[in-house]
Amino acid sequence: MRHGGRANLQALLHHAAHGVARRRGVKEVSSGYRWHNKHFARIARDLGLTPPRRATPVVGMTDCRLSDAEAARWDEVIALLDAAAGVQLEALVQSTATPRSPRSGSRFAVVCAECSPPRRLQITPFTFDQGPLLCGVCLTKFRPAPPAE
């Protein structure tokens, strides 16, 4: 999200090209889904991306870009994605006060209240202060566990 609306739209169109290929029954990748072939490039072009002139080693034609002209057609969507990214990043940066204890490096509990049952981890204040921890199941931010009663 931090790369902005245009990069997000470009990534969405890239993945849409994979979806179109699968729907059409076209094999657009090989080598463990790394190599993007000419069929992928053709579909990406149909969706408004500009494929590279030549395939690059290992990944082939994967680097399809959103041209300035095509981005202008999508400017409303790009603006909405930029706004959504700003809200998302602001929510991730906000943090609650870190519970501290007299023992340096001591651990405390964090929970994901969205999961049922709530997922619970023990982490150090240092780890907590580095940035948000997102639950791998529901993508919700872990919060310090409420104090035991």
Side-chain angles (χ1 to χ4, degrees), residues 1-16 49 62-68 70-72 74-75 77-83 85 89:
M1 298 291 286
R2 73 176 181 266
H3 297 293
R6 182 174 175 158
N8 283 306
L9 178 63
Q10 182 175 297
L12 288 168
L13 291 172
H14 175 106
H15 291 290
L49 296 174
T62 192
D63 191 24
C64 296
R65 301 290 175 115
L66 191 62
S67 70
D68 291 339
E70 194 65 25
W74 289 92
D75 67 347
V77 173
I78 290 171
L80 290 170
L81 287 169
D82 279 333
L89 289 172

Side-chain angles (χ1 to χ4, degrees), residues 112-140:
C112 171
E114 295 297 317
C115 288
S116 181
R119 297 183 73 209
R120 185 177 178 92
L121 301 171
Q122 294 284 327
I123 64 170
T124 64
F126 176 78
T127 300
F128 186 80
D129 290 340
Q130 286 180 320
L133 296 172
L134 300 181
C135 174
V137 175
C138 69
L139 299 179
T140 299

Side-chain angles (χ1 to χ4, degrees), residues 34-58:
R34 287 188 312 260
W35 182 266
H36 292 61
N37 62 28
K38 65 182 177 183
H39 302 296
F40 174 82
R42 192 174 303 125
I43 293 169
R45 184 178 289 114
D46 291 345
L47 295 178
L49 296 174
T50 304
R53 290 197 171 131
R54 289 193 172 127
T56 58
V58 181

Side-chain angles (χ1 to χ4, degrees), residues 85-109:
V87 169
Q88 178 68 23
L89 289 172
E90 185 178 322
L92 290 175
V93 169
Q94 292 174 354
S95 67
T96 58
T98 308
R100 299 281 181 188
S101 75
R103 193 168 62 115
S104 177
S106 64
R107 295 176 179 267
F108 65 95

